[in-house]
Structures are given as C-alpha cells and as structure tokens.
Amino acid sequence: MTRARVSTWVLAAAIGAAVWGCGKTPSPTAPAPAAPTVTSVAVTSPGTSGATFQLTAMARLSDGTSRDVTQTATWVSSNTQFATVSATGFVTVQASGETDLRATYLTVSGSTHAVVVRIQVIAVTITGSSRGDAVFQLTATARLSDGTTPDVTSLAAWDSSNDSLATVSSSGLVRVGADGEVDIRAAYQGATDVWHLSRGSASRYPLVGLVVGTDGAPIAGADVRLLETSILNNPTVTDASGGFIFTTLPVGRHLIEVTKAGYEVVESELVIVDRALQISVTLRRIAPGTE
C-alpha cells in the first residue's frame, strides 16, 4: 500500500508539471535588425583636364559605413555634347564646355559639376632613321593645343602606301621588303604625317619648307621653284601657314628660287644627301620706291 501511494503521487506530479508547462506563455522573438539604407552618394574624380578620366561613386549608409558603388550605379551626363559617361563611370570628353555627371544608386543620386576642355591635336610628326636597315622603328609625336608633345607611337594608326615594298606595324615598326619608293603614314585624331622611304640606286626624299618674313610671320602665296624640269609639282605655292613640300626630290644638289610680289627674290643652293630635308626661307620686303 505504501508503494502504490508513492507511485500515484509521482504520476500526479508529472501530470501537473506537464499541465503547467503547456500553459506557460513563451517569450516573444526579438525582431531582425533593419538593413542599412543609402543616405547619400558622393561622386569624385582625380581630375577633369584630360581627354578621358574615371569617376568614383561612394554610397554613404545609415549605419555610418561607406560603399564603393562605381560599378553598380547608373551614370548619366547632363550634356553629352561636352562629355559622355560609360556604365562604369569612365568619362570621354567630346568638346569644351560644362556638364553635370550624376550617379544613381538605389534611388539615391549624387553628382559632380565638370568643366571639361577638349585638347586638340595640332600636328603629328614622324621621326626615325632607316640607316639602310631592313627593319627599323619610327616614332610618332603629337603636338597638342595645350603645348604638350606626347609620344603617340602606340596610339597612332600606321599604314604603308605599298606593302610589297615595306610594311609597318601598329607600333611603327617598319619592315622593308624590296627597293623602291614608299610612304609610311601615321594618323592620330585627325592629324597625319608622312615619312618617305627610298631604297635602291635612284633614291628620292621629301623637301619640306617654310617661307616667312623678317618678322617670322608665315608668307602665303609665295612661288617656290626648283630650277629643274623633272621634279613633280614644280613649281609650287606656299599655303596659309607658309609651308610647301616637294615629295620626291632626287639625291644631289638643287637650286631653289622663292618669289613673292613686294619681296626680294631669294635663291639658295641645297645639298640633299640620304635623308629628308626641312628648310626655312626668309623673304625681305622691297623698300618702297625701289621696285
């Protein structure tokens, strides 16, 4: 009897504990923390003076952190005639002017105001020396409107007027295949220069000249004549910048004559050996009453 009472009491206690446990109210679950939101977007650039430049977009979050969103933001230029911007924030200047460059990330935008300047290419000059080599390197140098002269050898578009005589690579490396006359050209952003190559017994080279006054100002419309009948484009006339060119001048001694109404006649003897030649001719005005 005593053993039965103990068992009954234990069973009753277990049932009571179970009932109490089922009736207990569970404690509420804590809510998940809210994701940080974007509070602002800042657009920066190391500079806007070049023909191209890269922008950076940094998003400021509500938890005080920052995130680089340059690659994921949506980019827009307010004036694409002055500058365009790619999907990754890379800006290409189209013309001189002002534009706002804006990045939008998760509906939040930021922008920077840019005053851009389109630097113009004034001229391209090819330099180098073949020295009779079958393979040699040419260099292209650009003269820009800001006065700088960068090496654009790897950026220029190179071509040969006759690939059977000589070829030129995209980096200005020339390979000569046969004797003859061939022009190697380099073009960069609308400016072009020509490097004339002559191989063989009858070598010819270009003569490039400039006619100026005693004050150094270029003289347009001057007649330039080589006193020979076998030269192409002879005589020729100086252009608006006072320049002239004879593209294929045979090796030897040549007499050149430059005339212009109101100026004294100039004659000078030239010696052209195994290279292209650049000369400058100065014309002196005739004193009034002595013409």
Side-chain angles (χ1 to χ4, degrees), residues 146-223:
D146 63 355
T148 59
T149 54
D151 185 329
V152 295
T153 303
S154 61
L155 302 175
W158 294 88
D159 72 276
S160 167
S161 64
N162 192 331
D163 286 340
S164 64
L165 299 181
T167 61
V168 59
S169 73
S170 59
S171 60
L173 185 68
V174 178
R175 298 180 183 273
V176 180
D179 289 344
E181 305 281 332
V182 61
D183 288 330
I184 305 297
R185 290 182 292 268
Y188 178 69
Q189 294 191 11
T192 303
D193 193 22
V194 177
W195 196 87
H196 188 76
L197 173 65
S198 294
R199 287 291 171 87
S201 58
S203 295
R204 292 173 178 266
Y205 296 91
L207 168 64
V208 179
L210 178 67
V211 178
V212 298
T214 53
D215 58 355
I219 297 178
D223 293 318

